[in-house]
Amino acid sequence: MTLQNVEKESGNSSFHLATAAAAGLMLSPESLVFLGNSMGTAGPFFLLMLLGAAGLQLLTGRSYGILWKRYPGPGGEARAIREALGSFPAFAFPICSRVFLSVWISTGILATAGYVFNEVFFPTVPNLAFSFCLLALLLLLNLPGRKLAETAQFIFVAWVFCGLVLLSAAGLLQAGNAPFPEWAAPQTAALRSLFPALFLFIGFDLAGFRGKNSPGKAAGLSRVMFGAILGAAFLFFLWGMVSVRSVPLERLSGTTVPHMAAARSILGEMGRMWMGTVLLASACGAVNILLAGVPRMIVGMAEERILPAFLGRSPWRSFFPLLLLVAGVAAALGLGMAGSPMLDPLIRAGFLLWLANYAVVHLGILRLKIQGGAGWSLPAAGLFVSSFGFIGILVTDVHPAFLLKSMVAVLAFACVLSFLWNRPHRETYQDR
Amino acid sequence: MESTSPGDISRPLSLAERRLKMKTKRWRILFLAVGLAMGLLFMLEAMAQEVPRITKEELKEMLGSPDLVIIDDRTGRDWNASEFKIKGAVREDSAKADEWAGKYPKDKTLVFYCA
């Protein structure tokens, strides 16, 4: 395939589709729950943390922009890590972080969507049946190829964005001159929600797995990732501000559905239904981009011979990885993982692994000496922030031992697989 | 002389391509078989559960009775994602039933809310 063909293929994907892909995971229902609870616990102080976390993740977006300029394509990230740090990190971190989180967070999100559909719209439809139907629908969206899934992704994300902006506008009008809660410094308990603010801006890198990006597309990808992070930050800031003005802080921190409480307080039953549609769109957007992006990353890694080649040689390209991922989520749903109290810690462990992957990317950029115009300071700052955030989240979490054990178990499993796969191919890599 | 490009579908398949096609077919069959087996397993499990159920209308009529204890044993996302919580229900973890089973008198009507 010539470079022009590659350019043409990737040129079909426009800015808005790519931004929707980058924003999908950030605007998941999990983010709305975490945002509402954190606003209730830390108060308006959390808004500052939110902006800080967005600023810090922009550093990671910049590093990815640099990386994809030199190593374009869905397998570029893993190839760069392999050249900088070796085969094991290249195999383990991208796969462990994304596949692990995809399975658990999709299970949680689909279960949430099931409850929303059942409780807000159709009580006669069983929640688990709806979760399975939604998973099947998203699988069907992704089977024919990129175009349909990406168009749907744009509609989902646009719905979430417009829906939350409209609800926020209604909330601001309704609140009028209502007093804003005091900007007090957070208590010790509230510190627990400060470090995980970084989780709100994880997943923007999924925009890089959309197709065969040429080096020329990397600059566009940087703009896409920055746009998605800033857009999400604006939306969270707006909704957070409206939430604390509409619902008492104690109620926001105590409820498991703070967004519903805020929507109901703003527009009553209509607000609740409106928020229901936003939640369904947000669930579809988050799971859809994981089903679209992660299998393409696996295909890209197979093409780079970091994963077994059969995963990338299928006539339908990402058919096998997509089915594997969907089977994993379906199995988790069917085995009742949605009702397990361990699901949320597993999702946090997945986010932590993803954050660790960001740290590995920053380290790779430093090792490869492709820091871009600003020298080594920005990737080094990104590495520091990701590592510090990782440790901070782990130390302040309620289940630190479980998170650590989960991550070690996944990485150890990846280590064994990596050893088995890489041993006969090591010479091939060096020759390439 | 007629040339064939790699994208030409009328070109006869090479041995390697035929092998890849066979391999792909085998993988698809395996996936379908695993999927069917999993579906059957879930169906059997669902059919095996014969727990007496109560409708919400029946429960509504019983609300307020001193002999009624509602135990909400939803955990994880079943609890977190639901907006509805029954007033007066006690939360217990079904995984730790041994620890709390003795707390409730046997002459009371226990209603479990699990999903």
Side-chain angles (χ1 to χ4, degrees):
Chain A
M1 190 181 257
T2 63
L3 185 61
Q4 283 81 3
N5 286 341
V6 174
E7 285 277 5
K8 198 177 166 188
E9 190 183 317
S10 55
N12 291 333
S13 47
S14 52
F15 181 79
H16 64 280
L17 292 182
T19 310
L25 187 59
M26 290 192 277
L27 302 182
S28 74
E30 306 292 304
S31 300
L32 290 180
V33 175
F34 176 70
L35 175 67
N37 288 156
S38 302
M39 288 300 302
T41 318
F45 184 80
F46 187 74
L47 292 173
L48 291 179
M49 291 305 297
L50 194 70
L51 296 182
L56 297 173
Q57 290 293 31
L58 285 176
L59 293 173
T60 311
R62 185 186 172 277
S63 284
Y64 268 102
I66 294 168
L67 182 142
W68 274 317
K69 203 170 182 180
R70 177 76 73 90
Y71 302 91
E77 178 199 37
R79 186 152 70 98
I81 297 174
R82 185 176 67 198
E83 285 183 16
L85 305 165
S87 291
F88 171 67
F91 180 96
F93 282 99
I95 279 285
C96 288
S97 58
R98 297 202 177 95
V99 175
F100 188 80
L101 182 70
S102 295
V103 171
W104 299 127
I105 203 169
S106 299
T107 305
I109 288 172
L110 289 169
T112 301
Y115 274 101
V116 170
F117 193 75
N118 173 276
E119 293 182 352
V120 180
F121 299 107
F122 294 99
T124 47
V125 178
N127 51 323
L128 195 59
F130 180 78
S131 304
F132 274 111
C133 287
L134 196 58
L135 181 62
L137 178 78
L138 294 171
L139 172 66
L140 287 178
L141 273 182
N142 279 279
L143 275 182
R146 218 174 77 180
K147 209 172 173 184
L148 183 61
E150 288 193 344
T151 310
Q153 179 69 17
F154 175 71
I155 295 169
F156 297 144
V157 170
W159 188 272
V160 176
F161 196 87
C162 297
L164 278 182
V165 167
L166 285 176
L167 264 174
S168 303
L172 286 174
L173 285 175
Q174 190 208 47
N177 294 326
F180 206 76
E182 277 182 33
W183 287 70
Q187 304 295 311
T188 321
L191 283 171
R192 207 162 259 165
S193 60
L194 297 184
F195 282 109
L198 285 171
F199 286 167
L200 287 173
F201 301 99
I202 279 181
F204 55 85
D205 45 311
L206 287 167
F209 303 119
R210 294 172 60 244
K212 289 181 183 295
N213 305 307
S214 63
K217 285 273 151 196
L221 265 177
S222 296
R223 282 198 297 275
V224 160
M225 289 184 290
F226 285 5
I229 293 171
L230 293 175
F234 164 75
L235 202 58
F236 292 151
F237 189 90
L238 192 64
W239 182 244
M241 210 167 67
V242 169
S243 296
V244 290
R245 293 187 81 177
S246 311
V247 183
L249 293 185
E250 300 76 38
R251 170 118 175 81
L252 266 185
S253 63
T255 175
T256 55
V257 281
H259 44 280
M260 279 296 191
R264 199 198 288 256
S265 156
I266 293 167
L267 286 179
E269 189 56 22
M270 201 180 96
R272 185 173 161 260
M273 292 188 85
W274 187 245
M275 180 52 89
T277 65
V278 168
L279 282 175
L280 288 179
S282 123
C284 290
V287 178
N288 184 49
I289 192 55
L290 288 170
L291 294 186
V294 174
R296 282 194 205 114
M297 177 197 73
I298 293 174
V299 170
M301 289 173 73
E303 282 173 347
E304 295 292 341
R305 310 263 297 158
I306 295 167
L307 286 175
F310 76 87
L311 286 166
R313 272 201 311 230
S314 148
W316 285 6
R317 306 291 292 166
S318 48
F319 176 76
F320 284 148
L322 174 63
L323 274 192
L324 276 176
L325 196 56
V326 170
V329 178
L333 273 172
L335 293 170
M337 273 310 290
S340 164
M342 284 296 110
L343 182 65
D344 283 331
L346 283 169
I347 291 173
R348 291 203 295 280
F351 271 125
L352 268 178
L353 280 169
W354 205 309
L355 199 60
N357 188 49
Y358 284 166
V360 168
V361 165
H362 287 300
L363 190 61
I365 298 281
L366 287 171
R367 286 287 301 270
L368 291 167
K369 297 186 175 133
I370 50 168
Q371 301 93 332
W376 57 270
S377 56
L378 291 181
L383 175 62
F384 174 75
V385 168
S386 304
S387 314
F388 186 65
F390 181 92
I391 295 166
I393 292 165
L394 197 58
V395 169
T396 55
D397 196 274
V398 279
H399 298 113
F402 180 79
L403 294 195
L404 203 60
K405 273 186 221 164
S406 310
M407 287 187 288
V408 169
V410 173
L411 287 172
F413 183 63
C415 185
V416 173
L417 285 183
S418 168
F419 177 74
L420 290 175
W421 168 244
N422 283 326
R423 201 173 45 167
H425 298 88
R426 197 160 286 154
E427 278 183 19
T428 321
Y429 291 151
Q430 285 161 357
D431 293 344
R432 272 159 67 101
Chain B
M1 201 177 122
E2 204 177 307
S3 65
T4 53
S5 68
D8 187 357
I9 52 166
S10 60
R11 177 178 60 94
L13 296 176
S14 69
L15 187 65
E17 281 170 328
R18 254 181 283 162
R19 273 190 192 154
L20 175 65
K21 213 175 162 187
M22 283 291 292
K23 212 173 179 179
T24 309
K25 203 174 169 184
R26 258 182 262 150
W27 272 104
R28 276 190 200 174
I29 292 168
L30 185 70
F31 271 116
L32 279 177
V34 170
L36 279 174
M38 275 170 61
L40 198 68
L41 207 71
F42 293 142
M43 239 170 68
L44 285 175
E45 199 194 316
M47 282 162 71
Q49 291 170 349
E50 282 179 24
V51 181
R53 286 164 191 267
I54 185 171
T55 64
K56 65 177 176 194
E57 285 74 25
E58 286 172 317
L59 181 62
K60 249 183 199 172
E61 282 173 20
M62 292 162 71
L63 284 178
S65 160
D67 289 335
L68 176 73
V69 180
I70 305 172
I71 297 174
D72 192 336
D73 68 344
R74 292 177 298 169
T75 51
R77 207 45 65 107
D78 289 339
W79 168 262
N80 290 338
S82 175
E83 265 187 280
F84 300 135
K85 276 88 186 178
I86 302 174
K87 232 178 190 172
V90 194
R91 272 199 86 194
E92 297 285 7
D93 184 354
S94 55
K96 295 173 186 165
D98 292 346
E99 293 173 21
W100 52 262
K103 268 196 329 194
Y104 302 101
K106 284 179 183 168
D107 55 338
K108 301 241 175 191
T109 307
L110 302 183
V111 175
F112 290 85
Y113 182 25
C114 51

